[in-house]
Amino acid sequence: MFSGVERTIDLPITEEQLAAWEGGTLIQEAMPQLSADEREFVMTGVTAEEWEKEFGSDEEDQIHERKGRLGNV
């Protein structure tokens, strides 16, 4: 949570899935129906919007990486 705002999201997970993850199962195995953004929220409380605002999007990262390889930073 970067914004200091507490957020909640209704997600389609069961108590058993939550217990499996809390017990050490990888989240993508315990909750395979969730998207990467939803899994990030469960783990960190950070929404996709907050992540993009703080770090930029994956697309922006890829553009900067390509420019760096080309020497156009």
Side-chain angles (χ1 to χ4, degrees), residues 5-6 9-10 12-13 16 20 25-26 35 39 45 49 55 65:
V5 175
E6 187 173 317
I9 298 176
D10 290 323
I13 60 173
E16 291 79 16
T25 301
L26 295 173
S35 69
R39 292 191 307 263
E49 293 80 17
F55 300 109
E65 185 177 314

Side-chain angles (χ1 to χ4, degrees), residues 13-29:
I13 60 173
T14 65
E15 291 290 330
E16 291 79 16
Q17 288 176 312
L18 186 59
W21 173 64
E22 289 174 335
T25 301
L26 295 173
I27 194 166
Q28 60 267 36
E29 292 176 11

Side-chain angles (χ1 to χ4, degrees), residues 1-5 7 40 44-55:
M1 168 177 17
F2 298 112
S3 65
V5 175
R7 303 186 192 286
E40 184 65 35
T44 66
V46 176
T47 64
E49 293 80 17
E50 289 174 315
W51 186 271
E52 187 169 328
K53 184 177 178 183
E54 189 72 23
F55 300 109

Side-chain angles (χ1 to χ4, degrees), residues 49-66:
E49 293 80 17
E50 289 174 315
W51 186 271
E52 187 169 328
K53 184 177 178 183
E54 189 72 23
F55 300 109
S57 69
D58 287 340
E59 184 176 305
E60 288 173 357
D61 293 343
Q62 291 169 0
I63 290 169
H64 290 299
E65 185 177 314
R66 282 192 299 264

